[in-house]
Structures are given as C-alpha cells and as structure tokens.
Amino acid sequence: MAQIGTISLYIALALAVYALAAAVLGKTRRSAQLVESARYASYLIPVMLGIATLALVSAFLQRDFSVSYVAAHSNLAMNPIYTWVAFYAGNEGSLLYVAFALSIFVALVVVFLPSSMKESLPATLAILMGIMVFFLVVMVSLANPFAVLARPPADGQGINPLLTHPGMFFHPPMLMAGLISISVPFSVVMGQMVSGKVGDEWVDLARAWTLVAWAFLGVGLLLGSWWAYTILGWGGYWAWDPIENVALMPWLVLTAFVHSIMVQKRRGMFRMWNVVLMNVAFTLALFGIFINRGGPVPSVHSFASSALGWVFLVFLGASLVFSFGVFLWRFNALRGIVSLESSLSREAAFLLNNLLFLGVTFVTLWGVVFPLVSQVFQGVTVTVAAPFYNQINGPLFLALLLLMGVGPLLPWRRSSWATVGRALRAPAIGAIVAMALLALLGIGNPLALVSFGLCALVTVSVSQEWVRGVMARRHRGENYLLAFGRLIAANRPRYGGYVVHLAIVLLAVGVTGTTFFGATRDVNLAPGDEVSVGGYTVCYLGERTRDFADRREFFNDLLVTLPNGREMYMTAWRAFYPDQRIAATHAAIRSTPLEDLYVVSSESLEDGRVVFRILVNPLVWWMWVAGVVFILGTLIALWPQRGFALAPASSRGQAAAPVRVDL
Amino acid sequence: MNGMGKCPGTTSWASFFSRRPTCSKVGKGKALSGILVGSFRYGTTVKQPLLPALPLLLLLLLAVLLGAGCVTQSARTVDDEVRSISSSLMCPVCPAETVDQSQVPLAKQMQEIVREKVQAGESRQEILDFFVERYGDQVLAAPPKRGFNLIAWVVPGIGLLAGGALVAYTVRRMRRPQRGEQTNPFVSAHNGEPDGELGPYLTQVDEDLRRLLGGPGLAAEGPPGRG
C-alpha cells in the first residue's frame, strides 16, 4: 500500500511539473497543443492523488503500522470510523488532503472555464500548478505520508482523543479546503493580470470561486466553534486563539472582497483595490497554513506542529513578491476611470465596509504577531489573548453591524440626505424601540443594548428592502409568495447577501447573549449535593465508570430542575487517556432557543467529590442556526443565473425594484 | 458550597426571555408597523423635516445610554469578578488557554487564589499584580498598557487612522474627474449638480450615452442590448 501511495505521489508531481512547463511554454510559443496537454495533465492529478488518498485510508483500515503516519495517529483500539479524522490529524496526511482538494478545485476550474477566459488559461493554470508543485515537493521530500518504519510497532500511538468528535469530521477539512481554495480565485485574477487582461472579464468567475472559498471557511469556523463549545469544556466557542485567528483573517478579507467585487461588477470601479484584496487574502491563507503547520505561536491547536512551517514561510514570501510584482507591473493599466459621484452612495458604503473588515483583520494580525515582536525587542513573549481582541475588535464589529443596517439602503452612485433619512426611518425607529423595550425589561449593560439595537436595525432594514421589493412586484399582479420568490431569483447576489446579513444578526445575538448575560459556577459536588445557577437547580446523583483498553470513561449523572419546575436527567461525560495523559470531555448540554444549560465535569477528587463547571449560556443556540442560514444565503448568492446580467447601476434605480424596466 | 443562591444577573435575564422572544423579532414587528404608517411612499415627497436628523437623534440616545451605563456600573457578584479576572490571566503551563478556560490543577489553584483575594476585598489590579510578580507579564492575557507593551495597543489605532485617511484621500481623488475621464464629456456631465427633479433622467441619459459610445466601465455591466 505504502509503495502505491508513494508512486502515485511521484506521478502526480511529475504531472504537475509537466503541466506547469507545458502551460508556460504553450503561452510563450503560442502552441495550443501544449496548453491542451497541460490541461489534460491537470485532470490526471486528482486521479493520482485520489489513489494516494485511498492507499493511506486502506493502510489505516488494515492497521498497517509499518507506515509511520498510521502508527503515529491510530492504534488498534481506535474505532475505524475515526480513520477519516486520523487521516488529517498530522502534517503529512493533512498535506495530502490539501493537495487532493486543490487538485479537484483545479480540475473543476479548468473544466468550467468560460470561453471568455480562454486566453488567460495558460497563466492561471501555471500559477495553480506552481502551488500544486510546492505542496507535492514538500510531501515527497519533507513529509511523506507513506514513509515506512524499519521496525513496525505492534500497536500505534493512537489518535488525539480531543479529535474523536463529530465536529472533527467536518471542521478541519472544511477549513483546509477553504484556505487552499483561495488559490483558485487568486490564480484566476493573477492569470488575467499576467495575460494583460486588466478589464472586468474575470469578475464573475473570481466572485463565484471566492464565494466557494468564503463559504467553506465560514462553515469551517462555525463548526470549529461548535467543537470547542461541546468538547473543550470551558463553555466558550471562540477564544481568539492564534489558529482561530489565522483562519478568521482570510475569511474577513474575502468578506471585504465579495462586497467590493460587486462595485466592480456593477460600476467598473475598485479594480485595483480588488486585486490587492485578493492578493492579501491569498497571502493570509498561506500565513494560516504556516502558523498551523508548526508556526512559532503557541496555540491550543498544537496537534500537528513541526519545523515544516518555515518552508511555508519561504513560499509565502515568494508568493507575496510574485503577486504584488504582477500588481505593480499592471499598475497603470488597472487605474479606474469611473469616478465616485458622491460619498453618500453604495460605493462609498462598500469602501467603508472594506476599511472596517481590513481594520479587524489588521488588529487580529497584529495580535498574532505581537508576541513575536515583543520577543525580539524585549526578550519576553507576552500573551495577546481574548481581552485584547474583545476591547479593540468588539467596537469595530459593532460599527460593521451599523454599516450593515445602513449600507444596503444607500442607492448606487449618489443620494441625498433626505432620501437616506427616509429609508432609514423604519430601521432607526425599530432600533430605538427595541433598545427602549430591552432597557425597560432590565437590561442595563450599554454595550449589550447597543448591540441588540443594531441587530434590530439590520433586521428592519433588510425586511424593509424585502417588503419594498415584494410590493413593487405585487403591482404586476403576482401574489405575495410568487413575488417573494421571483424577487430573490431576480437578483440573487443581493438577496442572498441579505440572507447572509440575517445570519450575521443571529450570530451577533448569540455572541451578545453569551458575552453579557452568561452565568458560571465552578463547584465541587459530592453525590446528593445540589447547586442553583441562573434558575436551574443541578443535583449530582453519582458517578459510573467504564474501562477500555486506552481510556477510562466517567459518567456523572445529574438531575436538573428547570426554571419551569420540570425535572430531567442529564449526564456529563468525560474520558481519561492515561497513555497520553489527556482528558476529553463531552458537556451535558440542554439547548433551547432561549439559553443553554451546560454542565461539564473535569475531575474526580479523592474524597468522592467531582469538579463541575456549570454555565447558563443565553442565546447561544442562535449561533448554530446562523450557520444554516449562512449556507442558505451563500447558496442563493452563488447559484448561477442563466442568461442573467445585472443591469448597470443607476441612482434611485434600486429604490423601486431591483429589476429595471426596459426602455 | 451547596444550595447557593441564584446569580441575580441571570435571573432577570431568564425571566425576561420567558416573556419575550429575541430582539430580532421585536425589530421585525416594528418594521411592519413602520410600513403601515407609510414610510414607503416612494415618488411622493412628503415634508418630513425631522427625518434626516433621526440618525443623529439615535446617536445621541446611544451616547446618553452609554454614559448612563458607565455611571451605574451594575453590582457584580464574586463569581462574576472571579471569572472576569481569571479570564484575564493565562494558565502558565498550558498552550494558549486562560485560567478560566483551562482544566489543569494549577489553573484551578490559581482560580481559588483569585477567589480568596476577591473575597478578601482586593482590587482587580492588585490581584493581577500579584500574579505578574510571580509569573511575569506573560501571565496576563493582554499586554499591560505601559512601557513597550503600549505599542500593542497603539498600533491598531494608528493602523485604523491611516486606513481611514487613505479611504478619505481615495474618495476625494475619485470624486475629482480624472484626466482619462475628460476625453468623454458624457460621463457625469452633471456631476456636482443638485439632486433635482431631473436627476434620474439625467442619469439615464448618461447611462445610455455611455452605452452607445462604449464608455468606460461597461464591460462587466452586461450586454449592451439588454436594458
């Protein structure tokens, strides 16, 4: 099996090198056949990497501990279902996964390349193959997943128990696929630049692939939060850990990009800026992989660190020089000629949006690198964790919420304060009423009030846009449902975007609820003891244990009295792995839209008492709902619209209906 | 340790929500009533002198609320204070976890020390200083705002200001008609004129002329025949 895997890796590398060379030569010698053969070579790479993937999977299933990667990340006691997780638990396997995912993305982008982009195909393909070659070279030379041990052990070292969780089936692969898929829009844009196509032909394709990468990253981040919430046992979902941050940063920049690309699509503006955003997003994606693969920053995600990170840093530097080199080369040709008509317009709002998103990104990046700066200049690695980010990024997020409520109401090109004031009336009233109601109901925290008020502002402004559009369509004699459906279908980017905005509102509601209104108790309970937290009474009944080959599992049974007087049984589970000296926990969670009761047990004391942490997390449920809504909105925005081209934006044109009446 | 009273902050929250759904629903209801009172009459120009001032009023209200909230710091329970302090302290032996998050014995002990000190009436700063003395600045979850570490806090502000200045500069430059643009007299010919009755029509004429002349920036805006 190991030989098959290694051989297919080498064949894939040969194919990638060939495709790279053929694409470059095909371009410089104007040979269509060479370009054609490069294309076919790129189709074969996913086949070879698919074989390599299967080889590694079967080595895991056969418990072939002669393969050192299998020995390091599984053991006989491991449930075969976790093979999928063990596959990318370490460097070598995750590199194979990333390369396989990239090869599939490459084949897809080449197959579905629109004919208008044919001229830039060689350049785009060459860039993608350059990335591909890098990953394959690293794999065959430094981190071969099929490296064989001279003396195979009788049993493997086993998988990190924290990874044996359903969230792990999707969270890491989603994030890794998301990070690597940024290569595709990046290569499309760079390919166009290199080919001297500095117009707007690439906008639709780059936007579509950016949305794909953006959705992968977004969902991956949320799944990671869910995993942290249910298994890490501290009751939170986001800790501003360096690894979380480096996955968040490309997502933030891509969010800026999917907004500002719409300005280029409709107004032909911000070309230069969009190229810069794409370069930054790709660089940050590589930075993410660098930090993840053994970067110099300590993190709770230290599952797969190694010196490999420095190889990635060199590649990052090379790509930075390349991408901004190309940008400077085409600088003059990229200059936009359409002028901004007013600073009170949708374009200007998008500009502000980009400023805020890049601001959050900058703060986050600064927080990640400051410990290193401090190490260099004062010899002390200071810590930059949640309090820093909450204090600086928190207000920026609030500003983004405000902009999310106001921006969509601004028409393209220009507007007057009177028009904007009129459009803002209902949302502003909604926000004030919501805040007043909440204040009357006893919510005193000003930040929470502002946050909820802004949530109301966005919700009303999005609903108003919808109602407005449906009403306009009603005049054509469509019923409400049909009008609603056709409204969305008529301008999917826009209404998909609104759905995503609602998802962000749900997320903000969840974050605000848990940040400002959560209650925590850390208690040691003996069987029969009970404790009250936030209206719940938790009574600890007793402990059951079960022994396995590699672990001992503890079941702490609880009788919970809910605020409405009903009683229910819950069990907090945890396991201790003596070999690895790791404890894994599964909190007992009772989740309702209102609030979660969250009970986690961390250790059994000698006197028979058990250490519990009990939390009441209000509104956290809405965060997971937000994930579903987010996917839905992205799908709407991404769904191709046949024979559809957005009408050029005109001022006031959007006020009545998104579909322009034919003249 | 047992039978301890309810945490006051949460009780009000729970009872509040048993009566009322989420804030977003509240907002939605207001949207509909906003429609009913007629904020959507497009085409008609209703005299509403107060309207442009509404966002300003909103901001004013927010400022008042914020001020009021800062003055009346709600009473915090010992548990809240312990949690707040221990989430500002890093666990010295775990990678990137705060004392509040971490499950290892050392973190639990540190949390116990924090609790004792809070109960003894020590201030937040005194407790943090106590740990800094023993473990150094690294034990703090955020760099202290003094000395070299002040840079950590200042740079984001400088970055944001620089970004804001850049955007302001770009907006100014983009608003001035550029050299390339002057070759096409039809683009934004009425730029800078008041947004009068003729505004939309002028815009439309602009669009059509640009389309006929194959003006700049139209490549991405769809086939010219459609429209």
Side-chain angles (χ1 to χ4, degrees), chain A residues 233 266 383 385 413 468 521, chain B residues 4 42 103 138 141 207 221:
Chain A
R266 300 202 52 172
T383 320
R413 302 188 72 150
R468 191 190 261 184
R521 293 296 295 275
Chain B
M4 283 167 278
Y42 290 103
Q103 309 286 329
Q138 299 101 299
E207 292 285 339
E221 295 174 335

Side-chain angles (χ1 to χ4, degrees), chain A residues 200 232-234 239 241 264-271 298-300 336-343 351 355 359 362-363 366 370 373-374 377-378 380-385 387-388 391-392 396 413-414 416 421-422 424-426 428 430 432-435 437-438 441 443-444 446 449-450 452 455-456 459-460 463-464 467-468 509 517 519-525 529-532 534-535 594-595 602 611 613 615-616 618-619 622 643 645-652 660 662-663, chain B residues 1-7 10 12-14 16-20 22-24 26-28 30-32 34-35 37-40 42 44-46 48 51-52 54-55 58 61-62 65-66 69-70 79 83 87-88 90 95-97 100-101 103 105 108 111 115 137-143 145 148-149 151-153 155-156 159-160 163-164 167 171 173-178 180-181 188 190-191 193 195-196 199-200 203-204 206-208 210-211 216-223 226-227:
Chain A
D200 299 328
L232 287 186
W234 56 282
D241 181 79
Q264 185 172 355
K265 190 174 161 74
R266 300 202 52 172
R267 300 270 291 123
M269 295 161 76
F270 297 177
R271 265 184 214 144
S299 153
V300 289
I337 20 178
V338 183
S339 67
L340 191 67
E341 289 184 26
S342 159
S343 35
L351 213 52
L355 172 67
F362 175 70
V363 172
W366 177 242
F370 185 73
V373 174
S374 158
F377 286 99
Q378 56 177 0
V380 179
T381 313
V382 296
T383 320
V384 180
F388 174 83
Q391 279 179 53
I392 301 186
L396 290 177
R413 302 188 72 150
R414 65 205 156 82
S416 66
R422 201 151 49 233
L424 258 179
R425 193 168 80 152
I432 292 173
V433 169
M435 285 198 297
L437 273 177
L438 291 170
L441 285 162
I443 293 191
L449 272 182
V450 170
F452 282 135
C455 287
T459 313
V460 178
S463 324
Q464 172 178 306
V467 169
R468 191 190 261 184
V509 166
F517 304 103
T520 317
R521 293 296 295 275
D522 287 300
V523 283
N524 303 342
L525 299 179
D529 285 352
E530 66 174 37
V531 63
S532 290
L594 217 63
E595 60 192 11
S602 59
V611 183
R613 162 166 290 197
L615 296 103
V616 176
L619 300 175
W622 293 98
L646 281 175
S650 61
S651 74
R652 303 231 177 133
R660 276 160 54 103
D662 290 1
L663 286 167
Chain B
M1 284 294 268
N2 304 317
M4 283 167 278
K6 297 173 180 183
C7 173
T10 335
S12 69
W13 174 261
F16 154 64
F17 264 106
S18 55
R19 270 177 278 138
R20 194 146 274 279
T22 70
C23 81
S24 50
V26 177
K28 214 164 204 162
K30 287 306 126 190
L32 292 174
I35 295 150
V37 298
S39 55
F40 293 94
Y42 290 103
T44 59
T45 35
V46 192
Q48 285 153 328
L51 276 184
L54 247 174
L58 177 70
L61 184 82
L62 290 192
L65 280 170
L66 273 169
C70 290
D79 273 321
R83 193 186 187 194
S87 58
S88 307
M90 300 308 291
E97 277 188 302
D100 180 54
Q101 284 171 17
Q103 309 286 329
K108 299 273 173 197
Q111 196 163 14
R115 183 178 298 278
D137 278 346
Q138 299 101 299
V139 81
L140 296 174
K145 291 173 190 164
F148 179 85
N149 292 321
I151 297 175
W153 296 89
V155 166
L160 283 170
V167 166
V171 166
R173 226 194 47 182
M174 283 183 84
R175 285 193 65 179
R176 262 202 306 269
Q178 287 163 20
E181 214 167 16
S188 306
H190 60 280
N191 197 10
E193 271 185 25
D195 193 27
T203 309
Q204 189 61 50
D206 251 18
E207 292 285 339
D208 292 347
R210 274 173 47 186
R211 193 168 308 191
L218 282 174
E221 295 174 335
R226 200 181 189 281

Side-chain angles (χ1 to χ4, degrees), chain B residues 100-121:
Chain B
D100 180 54
Q101 284 171 17
S102 179
Q103 309 286 329
V104 303
L106 176 62
K108 299 273 173 197
Q109 284 165 16
M110 286 172 72
Q111 196 163 14
E112 233 10 81
I113 295 173
V114 171
R115 183 178 298 278
E116 281 162 20
K117 287 185 174 293
V118 169
Q119 279 162 349

Side-chain angles (χ1 to χ4, degrees), chain A residues 383-447:
Chain A
T383 320
V384 180
F388 174 83
Y389 298 102
N390 290 343
Q391 279 179 53
I392 301 186
N393 280 344
L396 290 177
F397 280 125
L398 285 183
L400 272 171
L401 265 183
L402 175 66
L403 189 63
M404 206 162 84
V406 178
L409 301 175
L410 294 173
W412 290 99
R413 302 188 72 150
R414 65 205 156 82
S415 179
S416 66
W417 282 105
T419 321
V420 176
R422 201 151 49 233
L424 258 179
R425 193 168 80 152
I429 293 175
I432 292 173
V433 169
M435 285 198 297
L437 273 177
L438 291 170
L440 282 179
L441 285 162
I443 293 191
N445 188 311
L447 280 177

